[in-house]
Amino acid sequence: MTILSACDQASKLMGKGAMTSLFANTDPFAGELAALSNDVAPDIAKRYDWQKLITLNSQVGDGTATAFDLPANYDRMPVKANVWLSSTSLPMEHVTDLDDWRQRRLLSLSSLGGEWTIIGGQMQIFPAMTASQTATFYYVSNQIVSKSGGSTDAAFSADTDSFRLPERLMSLALIWRWRQMKRFDYAEDMETFEIALAQEIARDKGSKIIRVGVARTPDWTVPTYPGTITP
């Protein structure tokens, strides 16, 4: 389904009638929806770490480099994200405090397994990876639009472009955002959107299997010693 069909659905639900074109349409209402579509879509994408937008990236060491450019389509790290070094089964430590990061670099200190942070649009990894090491991590792509030729983009520019996430969310969001822009009552429309968003997020997460008869530990835990110690 295309962005035109999403806007057409929103237009009909608002009692504005069918919409036959969007970006080339000189009608003010069509222009407003076209502009809103490129404001609404990123908002929906940022509300949750959608599986369809998750991408795996790899950085290869060379023995000296400690800063690596982030992918061109990088938007953000998922809420729960680690950077994994190929030479170990443990995640690298994420140093979030920049002063702490700077102090540790000045003192040449490093956690076992290495450390990482993001500064200036680059993934910082310390110590420098060897040529045989690779750092991998998942990130959320900003490519939320599918083009008719099969490529992706970060924004809509043609009627045939389609939203990579559920189209119904786009239609419902356009309704309440347009009414908010016009200073109309939009509370009920926003609530309808929020309910639909929660349902789509739950569907995207999938079901969780409950295992009976095994020890339950948090997902993020890892064994401190991957083996059996014999006395």
Side-chain angles (χ1 to χ4, degrees):
M1 304 296 283
T2 65
I3 184 58
L4 175 60
S5 64
C7 289
D8 177 61
Q9 180 70 5
S11 178
K12 290 175 180 176
L13 290 173
M14 286 189 283
K16 299 288 186 178
M19 183 171 290
T20 57
S21 64
L22 185 63
F23 287 95
N25 199 327
T26 58
D27 179 69
F29 177 65
E32 290 167 351
L33 289 189
L36 274 177
S37 65
N38 278 319
D39 193 32
V40 165
D43 284 348
I44 296 174
K46 292 180 185 295
R47 292 290 293 273
Y48 169 68
D49 295 335
W50 303 94
Q51 293 185 40
K52 187 169 287 187
L53 301 180
I54 298 295
T55 306
L56 181 65
N57 185 70
S58 298
Q59 302 288 6
V60 181
D62 62 4
T64 58
T66 58
F68 303 87
D69 290 336
L70 292 170
N73 64 345
Y74 177 91
D75 181 68
R76 66 186 187 278
M77 298 288 282
V79 173
K80 180 183 177 299
N82 286 309
V83 178
W84 298 83
L85 200 61
S86 59
S87 58
T88 177
S89 61
L90 299 176
M92 303 174 71
E93 182 179 347
H94 183 196
V95 180
T96 57
D97 187 285
L98 294 181
D99 288 328
D100 187 25
W101 176 267
R102 185 57 185 156
Q103 182 184 45
R104 295 177 70 79
R105 299 296 73 81
L106 290 172
L107 296 175
S108 296
L109 298 176
S110 179
S111 302
L112 181 66
E115 301 174 350
W116 71 276
T117 194
I118 295 177
I119 302 175
Q122 290 184 313
M123 174 72 69
Q124 310 285 330
I125 296 176
F126 188 88
M129 294 184 292
T130 66
S132 61
Q133 290 178 316
T134 302
T136 57
F137 62 92
Y138 288 102
Y139 69 94
V140 182
S141 169
N142 63 10
Q143 301 292 286
I144 56 179
V145 174
S146 291
K147 311 293 286 186
S148 59
S151 62
T152 57
D153 204 343
F156 300 105
S157 59
D159 291 0
T160 53
D161 293 346
S162 59
F163 193 35
R164 295 183 65 193
L165 302 178
E167 184 189 82
R168 181 167 179 260
L169 294 181
M170 173 64 71
S171 296
L172 294 177
L174 285 170
I175 292 172
W176 82 262
R177 287 288 299 274
W178 184 85
R179 286 180 171 162
Q180 179 193 49
M181 181 178 68
K182 294 298 183 180
R183 303 293 191 271
F184 297 152
D185 181 16
Y186 62 89
E188 186 174 347
D189 299 299
M190 184 173 69
E191 182 179 6
T192 300
F193 164 76
E194 292 292 344
I195 292 173
L197 176 65
Q199 292 172 340
E200 291 296 344
I201 289 175
R203 185 176 295 111
D204 192 71
K205 288 180 178 178
S207 60
K208 289 189 175 181
I209 299 173
I210 298 178
R211 294 180 175 86
V212 179
V214 296
R216 296 183 181 180
T217 56
D219 292 339
W220 50 264
T221 57
V222 292
T224 55
Y225 183 81
T228 302
I229 299 177
T230 303

